[in-house]
C-alpha cells in the first residue's frame, strides 16, 4: 500500500469516527499518523531537478508575496497590472505553467510578487504542479489568495484545506507549547494553564506514534492535539494571508458588500482596475514594513532613499542595514518621529523605531 492509499484510508477513518470523549485518543493517534505520512509525501525524493523548471526563484526585494489561487481567477492579470512584468493571461485554464516573479514598487519598498500556476484540488498529493507551487508559497512573507467573487466560498475552503494539509497555517499564531527532545528520563509533561482539549495520556500516545519516548513538553496555553502535532513536526509555516476577491463587476452590490466586510479581505476587479490602490495599502500593512530615513549631521534627512525594515526593529537593526561595522563604533543616535517623546531624542541601540522616523547616528 502506497503513502497516498494510507493517507486516504486514515482520512476515511477520521471522517467515520464520531467525535466524543471516548474516541479522542483514537482520533489523536490517527491525526499523528496522517501528519507523519503527509510529511513523507512532501519530502523530496532526492532526485535532481525535482523542484521543476521555473520554480527556483531567487528571493529579492524587501518582502516576498505569493499569489495563489485556482486556474483562471485573474492572478496573471493582477501581476501584469501591479508590476511591469508581463504574465500570459487568457480565459482558459493553466495559462501560467511556471513561477513568474514581478516587483511592486510601493512606499519606497520593492515587494516581490510571485505569480504561481493555478492550484487544483489534490495539489498536496502532487496533482498538477501542486507540490512545487506549495514549496514556493512556504518561502513567502505573505500569501495573497486570489478568489473568483462568483464562486469564492467554494474555492476558499478547498484552497485552505490544501495548504493546511501541507503544513501552511494561514492567519494563525504559533501554538505556545515548549517541546524539547531528551536523551533519557522519559516524558515530562507540564502545563501552566488548565487543559480542556488534551491530557497527558493523549500527549504520550501522540509522542509514541512518532517513536519519541524521552522529551519535555510544557503547555503555556490550552492547545489541541493538532497543534501539538504541528509543534512535534517542526516544519509548519505560519503566514499571514490576504483574501482577494476578483471579478466584483460580475456580482451584485449586496454580495460585494458582504465579501468586503469579511476579515483580511479585499474586493477588486483587475479588468476594470477597481480598488487596486486599497489592495496595495492592505498588503503593505500586512507585511508590517517600516520606513526609516537617515540624516547626516547639519544636513536635511534623505527622504529619497529610506531603509525598509520590519515592524519592531530597533536602532541596532538600522545600523546593521546601513553597514555591519557601525554597531561596534556606535555611541548614541538622535531620532525624530512618532517613536520619541520629544524631537530629537537621544537613544541607545534598543530604541524601537516607528514608520517614517528619521535617525542620525553618532559614533564614538
Amino acid at each position: 500500500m502506497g503513502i497516498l492509499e494510507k493517507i486516504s484510508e486514515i482520512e476515511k477513518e477520521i471522517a467515520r469516527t464520531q467525535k466524543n470523549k471516548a474516541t479522542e485518543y483514537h482520533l489523536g493517534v490517527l491525526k499523528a499518523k496522517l501528519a507523519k505520512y503527509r510529511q513523507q509525501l512532501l519530502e523530496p525524493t532526492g532526485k535532481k531537478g525535482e523542484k521543476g523548471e521555473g520554480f527556483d526563484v531567487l528571493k529579492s526585494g524587501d518582502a516576498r508575496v505569493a499569489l495563489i489561487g485556482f486556474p483562471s481567477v485573474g492572478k496573471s492579470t493582477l501581476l501584469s497590472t501591479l508590476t511591469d512584468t508581463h504574465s500570459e493571461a487568457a480565459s482558459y485554464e493553466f495559462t501560467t505553467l511556471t513561477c513568474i516573479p514581478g516587483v511592486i514598487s510601493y512606499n519606497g519598498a520593492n515587494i516581490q510578487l510571485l505569480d504561481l500556476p493555478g492550484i487544483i484540488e489534490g495539489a498536496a498529493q502532487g496533482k498538477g504542479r501542486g507540490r512545487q507551487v506549495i514549496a514556493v508559497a512556504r518561502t513567502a512573507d505573505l500569501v495573497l489568495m486570489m478568489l473568483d467573487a462568483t464562486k469564492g466560498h467554494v474555492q476558499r475552503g478547498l484552497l485552505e484545506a490544501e495548504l493546511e494539509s501541507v503544513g501552511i497555517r494561514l492567519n494563525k499564531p504559533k501554538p505556545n507549547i515548549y517541546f524539547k527532545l531528551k536523551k533519557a528520563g522519559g516524558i515530562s509533561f507540564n502545563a501552566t494553564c488548565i487543559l480542556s482539549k488534551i491530557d497527558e495520556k493523549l500527549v504520550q500516545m501522540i509522542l509514541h506514534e512518532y517513536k519519541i519516548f524521552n522529551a519535555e513538553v510544557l503547555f503555556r496555553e490550552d492547545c489541541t492535539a493538532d497543534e501539538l502535532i504541528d509543534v512535534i513536526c517542526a516544519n509548519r509555516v505560519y503566514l499571514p494571508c490576504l483574501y482577494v476577491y476578483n471579478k466584483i463587476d460580475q456580482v451584485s452590490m449586496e454580495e460585494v458588500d458582504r465579501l468586503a466586510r469579511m476579515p483580511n479581505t479585499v474586493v477588486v476587479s483587475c479588468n476594470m482596475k477597481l480598488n487596486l490602490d486599497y489592495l496595495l495599502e492592505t498588503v503593505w500593512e500586512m507585511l508590517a514594513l517600516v520606513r526609516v530615513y537617515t540624516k547626516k549631521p547639519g544636513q536635511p534627512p534623505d527622504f529619497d532613499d529610506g531603509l525598509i525594515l520590519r515592524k519592531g526593529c530597533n536602532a541596532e537593526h538600522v545600523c546593521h542595514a546601513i553597514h555591519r561595522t557601525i554597531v561596534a563604533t556606535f555611541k548614541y543616535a538622535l531620532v525624530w518621529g512618532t517613536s520619541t517623546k520629544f524631537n530629537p531624542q537621544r537613544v541607545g541601540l534598543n530604541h524601537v523605531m516607528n514608520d517614517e522616523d528619521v535617525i542620525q547616528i553618532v559614533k564614538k
Side-chain angles (χ1 to χ4, degrees):
M1 194 191 259
I3 290 181
L4 285 175
E5 287 85 14
K6 285 178 183 173
I7 288 175
S8 170
E9 282 296 310
I10 294 171
E11 282 174 343
K12 282 176 194 162
E13 173 79 4
I14 289 173
R16 272 200 306 269
T17 309
Q18 281 187 325
K19 289 173 180 63
N20 56 41
K21 203 76 186 149
T23 60
E24 66 176 1
Y25 298 124
H26 178 56
L27 281 171
V29 173
L30 285 176
K31 284 174 180 173
K33 278 183 178 165
L34 186 62
K36 203 163 66 173
Y37 287 136
R38 277 180 175 159
Q39 201 171 338
Q40 287 171 18
L41 191 68
L42 283 174
E43 281 164 5
T45 49
K47 290 179 198 164
K48 280 195 174 174
E50 176 76 13
K51 274 192 179 174
E53 225 175 299
F55 280 84
D56 311 352
V57 179
L58 200 66
K59 204 166 183 175
S60 70
D62 301 297
R64 175 181 259 194
V65 176
L67 192 55
I68 63 168
F70 279 101
S72 262
V73 289
K75 297 188 299 299
S76 300
T77 313
L78 184 73
L79 183 87
S80 305
T81 312
L82 295 182
T83 69
D84 297 334
T85 312
H86 175 69
S87 181
E88 194 63 44
S91 58
Y92 54 86
E93 296 190 345
F94 298 106
T95 320
T96 306
L97 292 171
T98 61
C99 174
I100 298 169
V103 175
I104 304 170
S105 294
Y106 186 74
N107 280 351
N110 289 329
I111 300 166
Q112 187 182 39
L113 183 65
L114 300 180
D115 178 17
L116 298 169
I119 286 187
I120 57 172
E121 231 180 311
Q125 276 82 46
K127 283 187 190 169
R129 305 197 84 175
R131 270 192 229 176
Q132 293 100 316
V133 172
I134 285 159
V136 175
R138 286 173 73 94
T139 65
D141 301 301
L142 171 69
V143 171
L144 218 63
M145 193 182 283
M146 196 91 176
L147 303 159
D148 188 330
T150 57
K151 47 190 172 195
H153 58 287
V154 181
Q155 291 188 344
R156 180 169 168 168
L158 290 169
L159 276 176
E160 283 176 339
E162 287 295 333
L163 294 178
E164 186 84 16
S165 67
V166 293
I168 296 176
R169 305 285 178 259
L170 302 177
N171 296 332
K172 280 185 186 172
K174 278 188 183 177
N176 198 352
I177 302 172
Y178 172 77
F179 173 73
K180 190 184 179 188
L181 293 171
K182 296 191 298 188
K183 294 267 169 64
I187 290 167
S188 107
F189 172 86
N190 282 301
T192 59
C193 59
I194 295 165
L195 299 179
S196 62
K197 302 168 187 170
I198 199 166
D199 60 19
E200 188 169 356
K201 185 183 170 189
L202 183 51
V203 169
Q204 287 187 343
M205 287 171 81
I206 290 171
L207 289 173
H208 290 172
E209 184 57 46
Y210 281 93
K211 308 262 187 299
I212 296 170
F213 302 101
N214 300 296
E216 204 177 323
V217 183
L218 170 65
F219 280 78
R220 295 195 182 104
E221 63 181 4
D222 190 12
C223 293
T224 60
D226 293 306
E227 289 172 320
L228 174 66
I229 292 165
D230 284 356
V231 171
I232 296 167
C233 290
N235 65 346
R236 304 299 191 234
V237 184
Y238 296 83
L239 295 174
C241 174
L242 181 62
Y243 302 97
V244 181
Y245 286 89
N246 187 23
K247 307 181 185 177
I248 54 168
D249 47 308
Q250 295 175 21
V251 293
S252 66
M253 281 306 292
E254 289 79 9
E255 179 64 6
V256 172
D257 185 53
R258 189 187 69 78
L259 293 173
R261 288 175 189 277
M262 287 156 67
N264 302 319
T265 301
V266 175
V267 291
V268 299
S269 169
C270 293
N271 284 338
M272 298 178 77
K273 295 189 170 53
L274 294 174
N275 214 24
L276 295 179
D277 295 347
Y278 180 63
L279 171 63
L280 285 176
E281 218 174 283
T282 314
V283 166
W284 174 267
E285 276 172 30
M286 289 191 79
L287 285 170
L289 296 176
V290 170
R291 291 159 290 179
V292 176
Y293 302 108
T294 53
K295 177 187 178 311
K296 289 179 180 170
Q299 289 182 17
D302 182 6
F303 288 121
D304 297 329
D305 193 18
L307 300 169
I308 305 294
L309 299 158
R310 291 294 157 111
K311 207 174 221 163
C313 65
N314 56 26
E316 188 174 352
H317 294 122
V318 175
C319 293
H320 283 304
I322 299 167
H323 200 278
R324 63 178 185 276
T325 57
I326 291 178
V327 175
T329 57
F330 179 91
K331 189 177 180 187
Y332 63 88
L334 294 172
V335 176
W336 292 257
T338 54
S339 68
T340 59
K341 289 174 184 164
F342 46 86
N343 292 323
Q345 185 176 328
R346 183 171 163 164
V347 300
L349 283 172
N350 295 328
H351 176 78
V352 177
M353 308 294 290
N354 282 358
D355 191 28
E356 297 197 278
D357 276 1
V358 172
I359 188 168
Q360 177 185 319
I361 292 163
V362 179
K363 295 182 181 178
K364 287 174 187 167

